[in-house]
Amino acid sequence: MNARGKTLMALAFSALIPAGAAAAAGKDTIIYCSEASPESFNPQLASSGPTFVASSQTLYNRLINFDPEKNTPIPSLATGWTISPDGKTYTFTLRQGVKFNSNKYFKPTRDFNADDVIFSVMRQKDASNPYHKVSGGSYEYFHDVGLDSLIQDVKKIDDYHVQFVLSEPNAAFLADWGMDFASILSAEYADAMLKKGTPEFVDTWPIGTGPYALQQYKVDSLIRYVANPHYWGGEVPTKHLIFSITPNVETRLAKLQTNECQIIPAPSPVQFAVIKNNKDLTLHGVEALNVGYLAFNTAKKPFDDVRVRQALNYATDKKAIVNAVFMGSGTVAKSMLPPHSLGYASDLPDYGYDVAKAKALLAQAGVKEGTEVTLWSMPVQRPYNPNSRRVAEMIQSDWAKVGIKAKITTFEWGEYLAGIRKGEHDAALYGWMSDNGDPDNFADTLLGCDSIKTGSNAARWCDKDYDSLVKKARLVSEPAARAALYVQAQAIFYRQAPWIALANGKTFYATRSNVSGYSVSLMGSDFSKAKLN
């Protein structure tokens, strides 16, 4: 366990609700069966979905939110914004009267204002900021989307106006401020903890403006929250929210069936029929922007040869994988962009399953029969890959038919992510769920040349023509013109085959039938209106 995890282990508000069995007490408590313990309660420091649900989507807010149907930016802590004619200056008008929560270490003396926005940005951007190295944060998302170099300056105009000056126009910039890492922290709290000599409390004893405040955390067991009585978004109908940390997918369903949990994320497709046939349960499906893929490490042999990458695309029976693993919860992917994304090339060709073509290409590349590679399989379940081990086994079987011996290996999730960022894999199953609805969040973050350095380009692939197109697309604000550039980029992606694009999955969750108000969207989970009827 890393230092952050050890610090989090100590987090417990002993004077609050007793840490007994996680049983709901009447209708004022909802229990959510979470997939994993959070990495941190500061989403700036994290990269995993379960962490974001437990922190940014429960405790904090961001400058913008997203329309759940259109996936377009809408006001949140910012009530509006203006963009200069050259596209390089964004001025946000901030919401007034927003209260921060408090804890036993600190009670705010003022409302949310521009100082909090500037602190939340500069902690991540400025290496000399006194909080930059607190909790050992690497601020992966902030760097992955390029904000460290894009933001030239952030200025406080007055208490309720903040101005960002960019190095160049960026069509994705506004959407970035709805992402989890862009959650707004309290500058006043940070100053107080720095003076007390306990700056890490900002990350382990969080204070935000969200619908809930943290009460208690027992690592690998439970998290307790209490409703924010001053929530600017309106009254929170359920006073107590409990996360029962339940990594096993079968155990999560069992707890839902016995009413030990009222909401579970990511049920397995094999469980759908059980849920649908139980009158006390409801299965929910949400269209999502995601892609599951196998990334070839193009910096390693034999995957530095495009013919090998093309061959293994032909050698992989994607339709069989999707039918067997997704069971109706996903469709075959062919692009780095999901189908509902701006610029998705619907007429892009795909590699059909063709063993003969695969063998011919491998022979041309001089790859010998029996060549061994490692195939990394994710240890977690995701909408874009609900059973990574099964997917890996099917790929292993397919590749064996063309003479490639794939050894399946896996690691703990944190180690898996770190290994991919360092380029330790030969080929790895991976995926991405959109954080902001913008195609740049896929096209550049996952495959741009600069993203090799940040580690989010798992293929470690750099094609100058591709990179030029996606960088140009960021500078263009007109949607049709942007879309045309992404179509060209996808043609290069198809020819160069840095991935096997496997599947686009729906996001599923299940609830007790008496739960209403809880929703899942591009922004993740929204508990602010959840209640038991």
Side-chain angles (χ1 to χ4, degrees):
M1 180 177 291
N2 61 25
R4 280 206 306 267
K6 290 177 180 177
T7 303
L8 288 170
M9 286 185 69
L11 180 57
F13 282 68
S14 59
L16 300 169
I17 297 175
K27 290 187 176 181
D28 70 345
T29 303
I30 285 181
I31 303 175
Y32 172 86
C33 272
S34 176
E35 300 163 279
S37 292
E39 302 166 80
S40 170
F41 283 108
N42 180 352
Q44 298 173 337
L45 306 171
S47 60
S48 73
T51 297
F52 294 148
V53 176
S55 60
S56 55
Q57 296 164 28
T58 311
L59 302 168
Y60 297 101
N61 300 116
R62 288 145 292 285
L63 290 179
I64 70 159
N65 207 329
F66 292 103
D67 184 292
E69 296 182 359
K70 298 178 182 178
N71 289 335
T72 53
I74 58 175
S76 183
L77 289 181
T79 58
W81 47 84
T82 59
I83 306 172
S84 64
D86 65 1
K88 294 169 64 174
T89 302
Y90 286 69
T91 304
F92 291 91
T93 299
L94 305 182
R95 189 177 300 277
Q96 299 187 33
V98 175
K99 308 291 184 186
F100 278 98
N101 281 301
S102 61
N103 61 29
K104 67 179 183 180
Y105 295 109
F106 178 76
K107 295 192 184 306
T109 65
R110 63 164 176 82
D111 293 347
F112 156 75
N113 68 25
D115 293 331
D116 304 307
V117 177
I118 291 174
F119 167 71
S120 300
V121 175
M122 297 309 291
R123 173 177 177 172
Q124 299 179 81
K125 176 177 169 57
D126 183 5
S128 65
N129 185 284
Y131 268 87
H132 187 74
K133 295 181 181 179
V134 171
S135 302
S138 59
Y139 311 105
E140 292 175 0
Y141 268 77
F142 189 84
H143 292 288
D144 284 350
V145 299
L147 292 180
D148 52 332
S149 57
L150 180 65
I151 297 173
Q152 293 298 291
D153 196 10
V154 55
K155 306 174 183 178
K156 176 181 177 179
I157 307 302
D158 57 41
D159 277 352
Y160 295 101
H161 290 88
V162 173
Q163 189 173 87
F164 289 83
V165 179
L166 311 184
S167 60
E168 62 183 12
N170 187 301
F173 179 75
L174 186 60
D176 288 341
W177 291 100
M179 294 171 67
D180 293 278
F181 77 85
S183 296
I184 303 301
L185 281 61
S186 167
E188 186 188 20
Y189 181 40
D191 288 343
M193 293 303 100
L194 195 62
K195 290 175 182 175
K196 285 187 175 182
T198 55
E200 68 279 2
F201 281 11
V202 169
D203 306 323
T204 57
W205 301 80
I207 285 179
T209 61
Y212 282 92
L214 184 67
Q215 280 195 309
Q216 179 190 45
Y217 175 50
K218 296 180 69 176
V219 71
D220 294 334
S221 177
L222 61 83
I223 312 170
R224 293 182 185 270
Y225 305 87
V226 65
N228 176 0
H230 309 293
Y231 185 48
W232 64 268
E235 183 182 358
V236 180
T238 302
K239 183 176 182 181
H240 300 293
L241 176 65
I242 298 174
F243 278 30
S244 176
I245 299 168
T246 313
N248 184 276
V249 66
E250 295 176 358
T251 306
R252 287 201 297 272
L253 178 57
K255 287 185 175 182
L256 185 70
Q257 290 170 316
T258 58
N259 200 26
E260 292 178 70
C261 292
Q262 288 76 53
I263 305 171
I264 64 169
S268 169
V270 299
Q271 298 175 332
F272 290 175
V274 174
I275 296 169
K276 290 177 180 177
N277 291 331
N278 187 327
K279 64 180 178 58
D280 295 322
L281 308 181
T282 303
L283 180 69
H284 307 263
V286 180
E287 291 294 341
L289 292 174
N290 63 46
V291 61
Y293 58 91
L294 181 141
F296 298 113
N297 188 339
T298 62
K300 289 185 176 182
K301 292 184 178 298
F303 302 123
D304 59 338
D305 191 322
V306 66
R307 293 169 296 183
V308 175
R309 303 194 300 266
Q310 291 173 341
L312 294 181
N313 265 276
Y314 281 121
T316 304
D317 191 346
K318 297 197 296 187
K319 288 184 179 178
I321 289 171
V322 171
N323 288 338
V325 175
F326 286 79
M327 302 174 66
S329 67
T331 56
V332 173
K334 60 180 179 179
S335 168
M336 73 283 186
L337 297 181
H340 297 292
S341 175
L342 173 72
Y344 176 74
S346 58
D347 58 353
L348 185 74
D350 197 7
Y351 291 88
Y353 181 53
D354 193 323
V355 172
K357 278 188 179 180
K359 287 183 175 179
L361 283 166
L362 289 171
Q364 289 175 24
V367 176
K368 296 180 180 179
E369 178 90 14
T371 293
E372 296 182 357
V373 299
T374 57
L375 172 56
W376 286 25
S377 172
M378 299 187 305
V380 296
Q381 177 184 349
R382 289 289 182 268
Y384 53 73
N385 190 337
N387 189 335
S388 182
R389 181 73 191 190
R390 179 69 175 129
V391 172
E393 289 170 349
M394 294 183 74
I395 291 173
Q396 180 187 53
S397 176
D398 285 342
W399 289 6
K401 295 171 187 173
V402 298
I404 301 296
K405 292 184 177 180
K407 179 184 177 183
I408 298 172
T409 186
T410 193
F411 306 92
E412 180 271 330
W413 186 224
E415 187 179 356
Y416 191 93
L417 295 173
I420 285 179
R421 286 184 173 272
K422 294 174 184 175
E424 295 172 352
H425 58 293
D426 290 344
L429 289 170
Y430 207 27
W432 193 257
M433 299 180 67
S434 176
D435 299 292
N436 63 14
D438 194 275
D440 186 70
N441 193 227
F442 291 90
D444 185 59
T445 300
L446 302 183
L447 289 165
C449 294
D450 292 340
S451 296
I452 296 173
K453 290 178 287 186
T454 65
S456 60
N457 182 341
R460 306 185 79 78
W461 173 72
C462 177
D463 182 284
K464 297 299 183 183
D465 292 333
Y466 173 94
D467 200 59
S468 176
L469 286 166
V470 297
K471 282 183 167 50
K472 185 177 179 181
R474 281 209 307 260
L475 303 176
V476 176
S477 59
E478 204 281 312
R482 289 192 80 201
L485 293 168
Y486 288 121
V487 168
Q488 294 178 56
Q490 285 166 91
I492 297 172
F493 168 85
Y494 167 73
R495 293 193 301 271
Q496 289 295 312
W499 296 354
I500 299 174
L502 291 169
N504 307 113
K506 278 188 172 183
T507 295
F508 286 88
Y509 64 97
T511 66
R512 298 289 298 182
S513 297
N514 63 337
V515 172
S516 66
Y518 172 76
S519 63
V520 174
S521 67
L522 180 65
M523 284 301 297
S525 295
D526 183 358
F527 295 93
S528 66
K529 297 178 178 62
K531 63 180 180 179
L532 298 178
N533 300 314

